[in-house]
Amino acid sequence: MDDLDSIRDIFFEECKENLEVLEDKLENFDSENYDEECISSIFRAVHSIKGGAAAFGINNIVDFANDFESVLSCVRSEKIHLDKGAISSLITASDCLSDIVFSSKNNEEIDIEKFSPVKAEIEQIVESYNNKKNLEFDINDFQGISFNPSLIYLDIKDFFITIYPKRELYSCGDDIRNLFSSLSKLGIFRSKIKIDKIPSIKEMEEKKSYLTWEIYLSSSEEDKIKELLEWSSDLLEFSVSNKQEQEQEQEQEQEKEKEKEKEKEKEKDTKNTKDSKSSVRVDVDRIDKLVDLMGEIITGQWMLKDALKCQDIKKTDEATKLLDALAHEMQEVVMGMRAHPVKPVFQRMSRVMREAQQATGKNINLVLIGEDTEIDRTIVEKISDPLTHIVRNAADHGIEENLERTAVGKSSDGTVTIRAFQRSGRVIIEISDDGRGMDPDYIFKKAIDKGLVDSNAELSATEKLSLIFLPGFSTAQKGSSLSGRGVGMDVVKKNISEVGGRVFFESKKGRGSVFTISLPLTLAVLDGVIFKNNGRFFIFPISNVVETIIYDKENIKKISNKISVLRYREDFIPIFDLEKFIYKQEKIIDYESIIVVENDKKEKIAIFIDGGIDQSRFVVKSVEKNYKKIKGISCVTILGDGSFAMVLDVETISGMLITEKTSNVH
């Protein structure tokens, strides 16, 4: 990857952030009472996208963003007041701009024609203002005045000026605002201050200037602009370019890019999106904390070396404990750098719901709760598709038609709620609706009709509802352009499983449905309980472990050739045969204890162990990525002696026991 590619990646990362700001501000825009800062934030987001795209010669983005910016410019100058219809048009325009940016990032061909209706809408907003302005100053309104109007052509150009004041500007008692006042009289003037060069207080020099101004000036007074700037050249540094010069530079840059693209095509094929590198913006405080911790760790290392040299056991123990604590704290900081709020994905669901309402004609309210809940950045990026599928299904199949809702005493407007929160070291995302719900028996019958389950299978209501995740299952009578052809919940489950997550489905006929997605906070570190079974180490996530009890053969009952159960308090819970699972045959050894674990549904299972119980934090690696997918094993970790321990997936193991119990589900 060359320097230009790196800068291009940074540009698209900034585009993503600006689009998030744009969508957030527009979604919460109040047409009756909006403040100047809100409009400025929206304008800056669009202007930044446009400016960056211009630098790379991405004309599709520049062209669309320019029309968008024109509306916002009129709003900022209070020439236009946005009503609900105009705001709706801008929200749609924001969606279109997002699509154009995404396609440009992936070098996909853009069908610009499909955005023409939206482009026309936002152009109409400005045009309606111009028409109104022309009516207000109609020449026929001037009664009794005789004159012949003459058309004057002004050579108006767009100038882009960057100004960096020197210390001398302030030491002589001058003020940058004096220059701005003079420039603003020459045409349409806008300024923006940049503070990115301001250092920390410790590094700041008292007599040095760190501010930079970026100015846009539309004027026909080119000579006067240069005269004003040259007059102050001893007190400030500046650069001036006009639109024509920028377009020439863009054309030259485009030619260079085309040549580079031709060279790249000869050397390699186009890379997939998943192979492209991404950048992460990190809070400066976290970086400072990381640097401080590195210093403390180095100090701890010297303490440990000194203690070992003196063979002082007490000091060695103290140094080891200190390093353990520092390593744990450092791990928290590093993981925090990868943490990212789920807000961008939730915002995307607002767009999905808007499209769903247009497609179905239903009135549906989307409620978002817990947008600031943080999770590993990698996971955030991979849950968007599953959430999109669930939300579309809720709008298309879950929420009833308006008349159908009122007929059963419900509000005509349906509601879909997405809620995120942390529980037991995991992030839970719930997608619920107040629609028609689903009947477990109806699902069971459909599964039988499709040959996915035997008619003699004895399943609970929860197990019947879970049949919707079987490949090929569908209750849809016909295909829909919104939610597909009814096939896809198995893909949703697969995508969530790939990031160590689980998905559950609950529904009550006539009252609605709830999808619950359980996700790990991070894919890199795991708090777990390590134990031995037949001399080999295994790990369960700490959130799944209930307790360990002493092994007692009298409490074990065999109820079939495949199933044994453990008397546990006032209940019986199934035993998972780990030896048979690993070695494909039973091995008789002396057990010491039994570990009891439970899944997210609070369903408990028991596993025999022969020692080595301990609780710790483990750095884990993907099995599938480094070897192949193994059922029941979520990931692995390397232990201090070089051996490895497998992390068991409680949900998969529970599912295997259910399959053994029924032996009828295909």
Side-chain angles (χ1 to χ4, degrees):
M1 181 180 287
D2 58 26
D3 291 341
L4 187 61
D5 287 334
S6 300
I7 297 169
R8 192 173 185 274
D9 287 345
I10 292 170
F11 160 65
F12 281 113
E13 189 68 29
E14 289 176 347
C15 275
K16 182 181 175 183
E17 293 175 1
N18 283 314
L19 287 167
E20 288 172 8
V21 171
L22 181 61
E23 188 166 357
D24 182 45
K25 295 294 183 183
L26 286 173
E27 284 287 346
N28 298 289
F29 200 89
D30 184 355
S31 62
E32 300 299 326
N33 182 27
Y34 54 83
D35 57 35
E36 186 178 339
E37 179 54 36
C38 180
I39 289 293
S40 296
S41 298
I42 295 170
F43 181 88
R44 283 195 298 270
V46 177
H47 185 72
S48 297
I49 293 171
K50 173 187 167 183
F56 287 98
I58 310 175
N59 294 327
N60 285 326
I61 297 178
V62 174
D63 184 44
F64 195 90
N66 186 61
D67 290 333
F68 206 145
E69 190 181 58
S70 297
V71 178
L72 298 170
S73 181
C74 290
V75 177
R76 289 180 83 193
S77 56
E78 299 183 351
K79 296 175 182 176
I80 292 177
H81 181 84
L82 296 176
D83 56 21
K84 290 184 178 179
I87 293 169
S88 178
S89 295
L90 291 184
I91 290 173
T92 307
S94 169
D95 295 341
C96 293
L97 182 59
S98 179
D99 287 343
I100 296 171
V101 169
F102 182 80
S103 297
S104 300
K105 178 184 178 182
N106 296 319
N107 296 315
E108 297 173 354
E109 188 174 344
I110 301 171
D111 180 11
I112 204 67
E113 287 301 317
K114 74 176 185 179
F115 302 116
S116 296
V118 180
K119 195 170 184 290
E121 278 186 34
I122 57 177
E123 285 175 349
Q124 182 61 36
I125 297 172
V126 178
E127 190 177 333
S128 63
Y129 159 71
N130 290 332
N131 291 338
K132 182 181 178 182
K133 182 180 177 182
N134 291 335
L135 286 171
E136 288 174 353
F137 296 97
D138 194 316
I139 191 169
N140 295 322
D141 289 344
F142 294 93
Q143 300 296 329
I145 300 176
S146 177
F147 68 94
N148 293 318
S150 300
L151 187 62
I152 300 174
Y153 291 96
L154 297 176
D155 185 18
I156 297 176
K157 296 180 180 178
D158 293 333
F159 295 93
F160 302 91
I161 307 167
T162 303
I163 296 177
Y164 176 73
K166 298 179 182 177
R167 181 177 62 85
E168 288 78 11
L169 178 73
Y170 304 105
S171 61
C172 72
D174 203 348
D175 193 319
I176 193 71
R177 289 177 293 181
N178 296 329
L179 174 62
F180 287 1
S181 177
S182 300
L183 288 172
S184 64
K185 294 174 183 176
L186 302 179
I188 299 174
F189 176 91
R190 292 198 296 269
S191 66
K192 181 173 73 173
I193 190 170
K194 295 188 70 176
I195 59 173
D196 55 318
K197 293 183 179 179
I198 298 179
S200 63
I201 295 176
K202 292 180 181 179
E203 298 172 338
M204 192 175 288
E205 296 180 27
E206 182 182 353
K207 296 183 178 181
K208 190 173 180 181
S209 175
Y210 297 99
L211 302 179
T212 304
W213 275 268
E214 291 181 348
I215 295 169
Y216 163 77
L217 180 58
S218 181
S219 172
S220 60
E221 306 284 353
E222 183 173 0
D223 292 339
K224 288 186 179 180
I225 293 171
K226 291 182 177 178
E227 184 181 332
L228 277 171
L229 292 170
E230 287 170 1
W231 177 263
S232 306
S233 60
D234 292 337
L235 305 176
L236 51 83
E237 296 175 3
F238 65 88
S239 64
V240 184
S241 64
N242 58 46
K243 190 174 182 179
Q244 289 78 6
E245 290 172 351
Q246 282 203 341
E247 287 175 351
Q248 288 175 1
E249 290 175 3
Q250 288 170 20
E251 288 176 5
Q252 292 172 0
E253 192 64 44
Q254 277 183 306
E255 288 301 321
K256 290 179 182 178
E257 281 189 19
K258 286 178 182 177
E259 289 176 9
K260 287 186 177 181
E261 285 297 325
K262 288 178 182 177
E263 292 175 5
K264 286 181 183 177
E265 285 174 7
K266 293 177 183 178
E267 296 174 1
K268 59 181 180 179
D269 295 329
T270 304
K271 290 185 177 180
N272 293 329
T273 305
K274 64 179 182 180
D275 294 329
S276 62
K277 294 183 179 179
S278 60
S279 58
V280 180
R281 291 177 180 261
V282 180
D283 193 307
V284 176
D285 291 339
R286 281 176 168 166
I287 294 176
D288 290 341
K289 180 65 175 175
L290 190 61
V291 172
D292 291 342
L293 282 169
M294 282 301 301
E296 292 183 41
I297 286 173
I298 291 169
T299 302
Q301 285 179 321
W302 282 110
M303 287 173 60
L304 182 59
K305 287 179 181 178
D306 185 58
L308 290 171
K309 192 181 291 183
C310 301
Q311 296 185 347
D312 189 324
I313 296 175
K314 185 178 179 182
K315 284 186 177 181
T316 302
D317 187 48
E318 289 174 355
T320 303
K321 287 180 179 178
L322 174 63
L323 285 173
D324 283 344
L326 291 172
H328 181 81
E329 192 174 354
M330 187 175 184
Q331 202 173 61
E332 293 287 343
V333 174
V334 172
M335 290 302 106
M337 289 180 175
R338 290 186 58 86
H340 200 273
V342 296
K343 185 174 182 178
V345 179
F346 276 27
Q347 285 180 337
R348 212 169 301 159
M349 294 308 108
S350 297
R351 175 181 178 178
V352 171
M353 185 54 74
R354 286 196 299 273
E355 293 171 348
Q357 289 186 84
Q358 291 173 0
T360 63
K362 300 174 184 177
N363 297 325
I364 308 172
N365 299 314
L366 180 66
V367 180
L368 303 175
I369 303 171
E371 295 172 287
D372 295 327
T373 304
E374 290 191 336
I375 197 169
D376 191 290
R377 187 184 185 90
T378 307
I379 300 174
V380 170
E381 293 169 352
K382 291 185 178 180
I383 61 173
S384 178
D385 287 346
L387 280 180
T388 298
H389 193 95
I390 293 172
V391 169
R392 283 177 176 166
N393 265 332
D396 199 12
H397 304 302
I399 301 295
E400 310 95 327
E401 298 291 341
N402 299 345
L403 292 177
E404 185 182 342
R405 290 180 63 84
T406 54
V408 294
K410 291 184 178 181
S411 165
S412 60
D413 292 0
T415 301
V416 174
T417 303
I418 307 178
R419 183 169 75 105
F421 57 95
Q422 287 192 15
R423 183 175 70 196
S424 301
R426 295 179 72 84
V427 169
I428 309 298
I429 299 178
E430 290 180 350
I431 307 97
S432 59
D433 67 70
D434 63 347
R436 58 173 60 92
M438 297 188 78
D439 183 355
D441 293 329
Y442 177 73
I443 292 174
F444 185 49
K445 183 179 181 302
K446 277 287 182 180
I448 294 171
D449 293 343
K450 290 182 176 292
L452 300 174
V453 63
D454 192 279
S455 59
N456 295 319
E458 296 181 5
L459 302 178
S460 65
T462 300
E463 290 166 346
K464 288 176 182 177
L465 288 171
S466 297
L467 294 173
I468 67 167
F469 295 111
L470 290 176
F473 180 85
S474 172
T475 59
Q477 300 298 323
K478 60 180 180 178
S480 165
S481 60
L482 178 62
S483 58
R485 300 187 174 276
V487 179
M489 291 313 300
D490 59 315
V491 178
V492 168
K493 185 174 183 179
K494 179 178 179 293
N495 290 346
I496 292 171
S497 297
E498 285 176 355
V499 291
R502 279 97 64 175
V503 58
F504 311 101
F505 178 59
E506 297 175 86
S507 188
K508 290 186 179 179
K509 189 177 179 181
R511 296 179 61 182
S513 303
V514 181
F515 283 91
T516 303
I517 300 173
S518 174
L519 299 160
L521 283 170
T522 175
L523 299 179
V525 177
L526 173 77
D527 284 311
V529 172
I530 188 168
F531 63 92
K532 273 186 179 180
N533 180 288
N534 201 16
R536 177 172 288 182
F537 283 106
F538 297 92
I539 297 170
F540 271 123
I542 189 69
S543 58
N544 294 121
V545 178
V546 179
E547 66 174 325
T548 56
I549 57 178
I550 297 173
Y551 175 81
D552 186 350
K553 194 174 182 179
E554 296 298 319
N555 290 329
I556 300 165
K557 307 293 180 185
K558 195 163 188 175
I559 59 175
S560 72
N561 291 332
K562 293 182 177 180
I563 301 294
S564 295
V565 295
L566 170 73
R567 182 188 292 277
Y568 179 72
R569 305 190 190 286
E570 302 300 321
D571 199 3
F572 286 94
I573 59 175
I575 298 169
F576 183 72
D577 193 338
L578 193 55
E579 291 88 355
K580 193 172 181 180
F581 171 64
I582 297 295
Y583 303 105
K584 306 302 179 186
Q585 60 182 10
E586 294 183 6
K587 292 198 173 187
I588 301 171
I589 58 174
D590 294 327
Y591 298 114
E592 293 182 1
S593 309
I594 299 172
I595 188 167
V596 179
V597 294
E598 65 181 9
N599 60 18
D600 285 354
K601 297 178 185 176
K602 304 300 179 183
E603 296 169 338
K604 296 178 176 60
I605 58 175
I607 292 178
F608 299 152
I609 59 179
D610 55 270
I613 290 186
D614 193 13
Q615 179 181 337
S616 187
R617 177 169 282 199
F618 305 93
V619 177
V620 295
K621 300 291 182 183
S622 168
V623 178
E624 186 174 2
K625 191 180 291 183
N626 295 286
Y627 177 54
K628 66 178 182 180
K629 189 169 184 178
I630 302 176
K631 191 176 183 180
I633 307 295
S634 61
C635 48
V636 296
T637 185
I638 305 298
L639 303 177
D641 61 358
S643 62
F644 68 92
M646 291 181 281
V647 181
L648 299 171
D649 184 354
V650 178
E651 297 299 328
T652 303
I653 290 172
S654 299
M656 292 163 71
L657 285 173
I658 291 173
T659 303
E660 284 187 356
K661 182 182 77 172
T662 60
S663 298
N664 288 316
V665 178
H666 291 208

